[in-house]
């Protein structure tokens, strides 16, 4: 929630997303969740969900005080490597508009967008990306 809040979203919008952004034990049991830790503290994580031969990157979050310090890049490289280990596959994701540049800088290919309006931004859309998995 802190990472999403750092993008400037209103508290009522964030609260509306709480259930989708909450990682439960059941979710962890069904998907692959990986943490980035420093000195015993979680600084970021990602979650991959298998969809046939491909993967969906459901979450990639970095603690706001650790953003722009390479943590997100390390997590994305790890996700690509993890997917690659399962065989030839792709990773798909729907990005927050504020993170689109991050995925593009790391080689994500934009494949479209998904309409996702919020109060005050009726034309908001989530950019959709695809990565070929690879070992890094």
């Amino acid at each position: 929630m802190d990472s999403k809040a750092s993008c400037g979203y209103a508290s009522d919008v964030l609260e509306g997303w709480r259930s989708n952004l909450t990682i439960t034990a059941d979710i962890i049991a069904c998907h692959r969740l990986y943490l980035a830790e420093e000195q015993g503290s979680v600084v970021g994580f990602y979650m991959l969900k298998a969809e046939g031969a491909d993967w969906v990157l459901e979450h990639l979050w970095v603690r706001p005080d650790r953003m722009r310090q390479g943590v997100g890049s390390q997590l994305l490289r790890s996700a690509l490597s993890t997917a690659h280990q399962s065989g030839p596959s792709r990773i798909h994701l729907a990005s927050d508009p504020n993170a689109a540049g991050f995925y593009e800088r790391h080689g994500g290919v934009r494949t479209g967008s998904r309409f996702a309006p919020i109060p005050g931004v009726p034309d908001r859309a989530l950019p959709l990306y695809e990565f070929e998995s690879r070992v890094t």
Side-chain angles (χ1 to χ4, degrees):
M1 292 298 289
D2 291 342
S3 294
K4 195 73 160 174
S6 73
C7 294
Y9 292 109
S11 60
D12 60 322
V13 172
L14 291 168
E15 198 54 43
W17 289 332
R18 182 172 295 282
S19 65
N20 289 335
L21 296 175
T22 299
I23 307 299
T24 65
D26 289 340
I27 290 171
I28 293 170
C30 295
H31 306 295
R32 295 183 184 203
L33 185 89
Y34 298 86
L35 303 176
E37 293 181 290
E38 291 178 356
Q39 300 176 343
S41 179
V42 175
V43 296
F45 72 94
Y46 70 87
M47 187 179 81
L48 287 172
K49 180 173 113 177
E51 280 195 358
D54 291 343
W55 294 87
V56 175
L57 183 62
E58 287 285 331
H59 296 278
L60 191 156
W61 300 102
V62 175
R63 230 175 48 197
D65 66 328
R66 296 297 287 130
M67 288 179 176
R68 301 190 190 314
Q69 296 177 31
V71 175
S73 296
Q74 290 174 343
L75 288 168
L76 182 58
R77 283 193 300 273
S78 175
L80 293 170
S81 178
T82 299
H84 178 79
Q85 291 171 18
S86 71
S89 59
R90 290 179 298 274
I91 292 179
H92 305 273
L93 66 103
S95 172
D96 184 283
N98 296 293
F102 168 81
Y103 292 113
E104 290 170 6
R105 283 190 302 278
H106 287 82
V109 175
R110 187 154 177 181
T111 59
S113 61
R114 180 172 58 206
F115 189 58
I118 59 174
V121 190
D123 59 346
R124 180 175 177 268
L126 303 179
L128 304 177
Y129 290 96
E130 182 178 285
F131 287 87
E132 293 293 325
S133 68
R134 61 183 181 271
V135 174
T136 57

